[in-house]
């Protein structure tokens, strides 16, 4: 059975839109509005939304697996994640290395293939893979924590959120630059999504306040106001918002996600918007090539750079992502069938074991 969480694709669409608007800044022929500090700073906001969504979705899937089978299979999880993330990223990286090998330092190539790009600060072609590196590092750690039990996992997520502002302040005090690129400084953004997934029963008590259109507007305004701090011309203000303000931003993002997936707004579930959300991973990979503010090439000039970015993303989605998603579906179905045949879940008042299944789609 396919179980798709409403509105997530729509939220992904708006997230990738923020990244694209940000990267249009400085490209040839791009409208001047894209050069404003506010718009230029929206790229990181888009990434934060992706991070919170990832934490929420992965934890939801792990909880569903534990509920249905009584356990969590780390091997199955890593196979599913590898098929979802690695093929498209490796195809992109390989093409970039072949086309621009003279321009890309070896350490950046290694960072892209081995997912430590968030600790590398070189060039433009592969630098955006820093966010994928953080997500991959998260995937290595979080499922194992969840295997120890969701009560303990919830405490880990809560403490991560509480301590991360102090970690960021300490990093600034020690002279770190671009604090928002390190896994140990943005772990709370992913942890916020994890905690959201594990707090659904408690949040439902407040649905009469949380599930109103005005609540969604309040969360959105709060996010945009904090984003203004990130776009400040004053370094001290940026440091304040990047160390402390981001905590409030990610909590507001989590509140907005809860509001949107339960309210099921038409715009977020409108097919053209959802389609962009489905395409968001490939778009994120390929937009950097064409939205290059350091290049004067014809393919990096507006508006053809946008058209070419979408065409490359479509090619990546249909030629790489789709075949891998189909393979993952087949492998997941076989693995789940095998595990459910081996595990009998407690019966609900009858002599027959209750067996249910859920097929991952993300």
């Amino acid at each position: 059975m396919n179980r798709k969480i409403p509105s997530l694709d729509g939220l992904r669409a708006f997230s990738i839109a923020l990244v694209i608007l940000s990267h249009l800044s400085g490209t040839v022929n791009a409208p001047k509005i894209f050069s404003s500090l506010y718009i230029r700073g929206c790229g990181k906001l888009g990434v934060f939304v992706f991070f919170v969504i990832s934490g929420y979705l992965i934890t939801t899937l792990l909880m569903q697996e534990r509920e249905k089978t009584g356990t969590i299979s780390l091997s199955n999880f890593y196979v599913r994640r590898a098929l979802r993330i690695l093929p498209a990223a490796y195809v992109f990286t390989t093409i970039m290395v072949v086309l621009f090998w003279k321009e890309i330092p070896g350490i950046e190539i290694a960072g892209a293939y081995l997912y430590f790009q968030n600790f590398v600060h070189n060039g433009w072609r592969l630098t955006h893979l820093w966010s994928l590196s953080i997500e991959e590092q998260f995937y290595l750690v979080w499922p194992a924590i969840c295997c120890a039990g969701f009560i303990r996992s919830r405490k880990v997520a809560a403490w991560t959120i509480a301590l991360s502002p102090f970690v960021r302040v300490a990093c600034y005090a020690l002279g770190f630059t671009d604090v928002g690129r390190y896994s140990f400084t943005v772990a709370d953004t992913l942890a916020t999504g994890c905690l959201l997934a594990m707090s659904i029963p408690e949040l439902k008590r407040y649905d009469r306040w949380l599930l109103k259109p005005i609540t969604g507007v309040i969360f959105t305004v709060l996010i945009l106001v904090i984003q203004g701090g990130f776009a400040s011309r004053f370094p001290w203000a940026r440091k304040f918002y990047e160390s402390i303000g981001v905590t409030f931003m990610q909590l507001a993002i989590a509140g907005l996600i809860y509001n949107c997936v339960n309210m099921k707004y038409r715009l977020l579930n409108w097919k053209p918007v959802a389609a962009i959300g489905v395409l968001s991973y490939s778009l994120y990979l390929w937009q950097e090539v064409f939205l290059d503010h350091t290049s004067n090439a014809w393919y990096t000039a507006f508006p053809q750079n946008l058209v070419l970015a979408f065409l490359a993303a479509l090619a990546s989605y249909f030629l790489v992502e789709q075949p891998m998603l189909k393979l993952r579906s087949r492998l997941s179905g076989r693995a789940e069938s095998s595990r459910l045949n081996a595990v009998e879940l407690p019966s609900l008042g009858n002599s027959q074991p209750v067996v249910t299944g859920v097929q991952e789609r993300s």
Side-chain angles (χ1 to χ4, degrees), residues 38-281:
Y38 192 91
I39 296 295
R40 283 160 55 189
C42 281
K44 190 160 283 188
L45 170 57
V47 172
F48 285 161
V49 176
F50 277 126
F51 281 168
V52 179
I53 288 175
S54 290
Y56 170 69
L57 179 60
I58 292 303
T59 306
T60 298
L61 292 171
L62 291 172
M63 291 174 68
Q64 288 177 352
E65 183 178 3
R66 171 66 68 84
E67 179 184 354
K68 301 300 182 183
T69 67
T71 186
I72 293 173
S73 171
L74 291 179
S75 59
N76 288 342
F77 173 86
Y78 290 129
V79 168
R80 293 196 306 266
R81 286 292 92 195
L83 290 173
R84 177 68 183 94
I85 301 296
L86 300 186
Y90 281 170
V91 167
F92 166 78
T93 300
T94 302
I95 291 175
M96 290 301 99
V97 170
V98 170
L99 293 178
F100 304 105
W101 64 273
K102 290 184 179 180
E103 303 176 21
I104 305 175
I107 186 65
E108 191 172 354
I109 295 172
Y113 280 118
L114 300 178
Y115 286 93
F116 62 87
Q117 189 69 16
N118 53 319
F119 295 102
V120 178
H121 299 271
N122 293 305
W124 175 261
R125 308 290 183 189
L126 301 177
T127 189
H128 63 305
L129 300 183
W130 69 270
S131 60
L132 296 183
S133 296
I134 288 176
E135 291 214 27
E136 287 298 296
Q137 292 156 22
F138 161 71
Y139 295 149
L140 287 175
V141 175
W142 181 247
I145 294 174
C146 289
C147 283
F150 286 105
I151 295 177
R152 183 173 298 176
S153 304
R154 187 170 175 171
K155 291 179 180 178
V156 170
W159 276 108
T160 300
I161 296 167
L163 295 177
S164 288
F166 299 99
V167 173
R168 288 189 286 267
V169 169
C171 285
Y172 274 123
L174 292 171
F176 281 65
T177 58
D178 203 0
V179 167
R181 285 176 65 109
Y182 303 109
S183 49
F184 55 85
T185 58
V186 299
D188 56 329
T189 310
L190 288 150
T192 299
C194 300
L195 188 60
L196 170 64
M198 293 183 286
S199 301
I200 297 298
E202 289 80 5
L203 290 174
K204 286 189 176 298
R205 301 173 189 172
Y206 306 99
D207 277 356
R208 56 179 173 174
W209 293 293
L210 292 173
L211 301 187
K212 290 184 177 181
I214 188 60
T215 306
V217 172
I218 291 171
F219 283 131
T220 302
V221 170
L222 179 59
I223 292 166
L224 295 177
V225 168
I226 297 175
Q227 172 58 29
F230 282 94
S232 172
R233 294 180 181 272
F234 303 103
W236 64 267
R238 289 199 301 273
K239 287 182 179 180
F240 173 81
Y241 281 99
E242 288 180 358
S243 57
I244 298 173
V246 68
T247 299
F248 296 98
M249 173 181 278
Q250 64 202 20
L251 292 173
I253 292 171
L256 182 62
I257 291 172
Y258 183 78
N259 179 274
C260 289
V261 300
N262 287 285
M263 293 290 289
K264 301 178 184 177
Y265 296 105
R266 289 185 179 180
L267 177 61
L268 293 175
N269 294 282
W270 187 37
K271 287 185 178 181
V273 173
I276 294 174
V278 169
L279 197 64
S280 60
Y281 178 48

Side-chain angles (χ1 to χ4, degrees), residues 316-336:
S316 175
Y317 180 74
F318 286 108
L319 298 178
V320 183
E321 281 194 65
Q322 273 295 295
M324 291 299 103
L325 288 173
K326 290 177 181 177
L327 174 61
R328 186 184 71 169
S329 243
R330 291 197 297 270
L331 292 177
S332 294
R334 291 173 188 171
E336 183 180 327

